[in-house]
Amino acid sequence: KRWRAWCPALVPLCFVYVKRWLGAGNKLTHHNVHRVLCAALLVASKWQVDQPIAMTSYSRLGGVCVEELNRLERKFLNDLSWSCHVEKTEFETALLDLLSY
């Protein structure tokens, strides 16, 4: 039940958000990759799903406490300039990129 709000559309949305985050001058490392992906998934879930999964579930998934997850979400959104909307063509391109792997 905890993950009932999961939807497959979150994956390409996350991909777009991480690409934007990288485009803002950030870098993925082995130290931050799980935090960045968790923040991207959280933001995508809140943007896409009416009742997103609880923060405690995301904090367990990312191996961070809820307070750190809140900070990660704020920083991630600030790095994206709070730009969460994804045009259909950008979403479709991300989906095709993911399917090509």
Side-chain angles (χ1 to χ4, degrees), residues 1 14-15 21 24-25 28 33 43 45 47 51 60 78 89 98:
K1 286 185 177 183
C14 270
F15 188 66
W21 183 82
L28 279 178
V33 66
V43 170
S45 175
W47 182 259
Q51 293 182 338
R60 279 188 227 117
N78 284 329
T89 55
L98 288 167

Side-chain angles (χ1 to χ4, degrees), residues 20-98:
R20 288 179 182 178
W21 183 82
L22 291 168
N26 298 291
K27 295 195 182 334
L28 279 178
T29 69
H30 67 280
H31 294 293
N32 72 0
V33 66
H34 68 290
R35 287 175 172 85
V36 171
L37 292 176
C38 190
L41 184 60
L42 174 64
V43 170
S45 175
K46 285 184 172 184
W47 182 259
Q48 187 72 25
V49 181
D50 287 335
Q51 293 182 338
I53 298 164
M55 293 291 280
T56 53
S57 296
Y58 278 107
S59 70
R60 279 188 227 117
L61 175 71
V64 298
C65 67
V66 173
E67 292 78 16
E68 181 178 357
L69 185 57
N70 286 328
R71 285 190 300 273
L72 289 169
E73 180 186 18
R74 279 191 308 273
K75 180 172 181 348
F76 191 80
L77 284 165
N78 284 329
D79 288 345
L80 295 181
S81 300
W82 290 79
S83 177
C84 296
H85 177 73
V86 174
E87 294 291 336
K88 182 180 178 185
T89 55
E90 188 178 15
F91 180 88
E92 290 170 347
T93 299
L95 181 58
L96 291 174
D97 286 347
L98 288 167

